[in-house]
Amino acid sequence: MIALTVVAISILGSTVHAKKPNMTAIYVGDMHCSDCAQKIANKLYTVKGVSKVSANLKTGIAYVTPAEEKKLSPRALWEAVEKAEFTPIKLEGPSGKFKKKPKK
């Protein structure tokens, strides 16, 4: 029996960087197509507390929204992108701004 997991990801066409205060933006240097975005999203959804992932291919940014009342680990998000075999360049969110892998 094969289990199929359906992951929703929206690919945004605009270059608007506006985001909600609880959202985290992860800048990914080599995300260039919808397959890349889907692979990254699949790994980000494995991080505890992630509710929604969307990506802007033009800017190479993955936006992560936490579930209500949840705080996301910047390190776990960074490592999820690495596990998807992509390179995070910068992460900005409620826990701060990081240009290298966060300690927590």
Side-chain angles (χ1 to χ4, degrees), residues 39-80:
K39 189 174 179 182
I40 292 165
N42 287 341
K43 289 297 181 183
L44 288 168
Y45 276 115
T46 67
V47 175
K48 185 177 179 177
V50 170
S51 173
K52 180 181 175 186
V53 177
S54 59
N56 184 318
L57 294 175
K58 275 187 164 179
T59 60
I61 301 172
Y63 294 99
V64 183
T65 304
E68 196 170 319
E69 304 294 322
K70 297 289 182 182
K71 184 176 177 184
L72 301 175
S73 161
R75 183 176 180 93
L77 295 173
W78 189 283
E79 289 177 343

Side-chain angles (χ1 to χ4, degrees), residues 2-64:
I2 299 174
L4 177 64
T5 303
V6 178
V7 177
I9 180 168
S10 61
I11 308 300
L12 305 173
S14 70
T15 57
V16 177
H17 295 261
K19 56 184 177 162
K20 298 176 185 176
N22 63 340
M23 190 179 286
T24 298
I26 306 167
Y27 295 72
V28 183
D30 45 357
M31 179 174 59
H32 61 276
C33 67
S34 61
D35 288 340
C36 296
Q38 187 66 51
K39 189 174 179 182
I40 292 165
N42 287 341
K43 289 297 181 183
L44 288 168
Y45 276 115
T46 67
V47 175
K48 185 177 179 177
V50 170
S51 173
K52 180 181 175 186
V53 177
S54 59
N56 184 318
L57 294 175
K58 275 187 164 179
T59 60
I61 301 172
Y63 294 99
V64 183

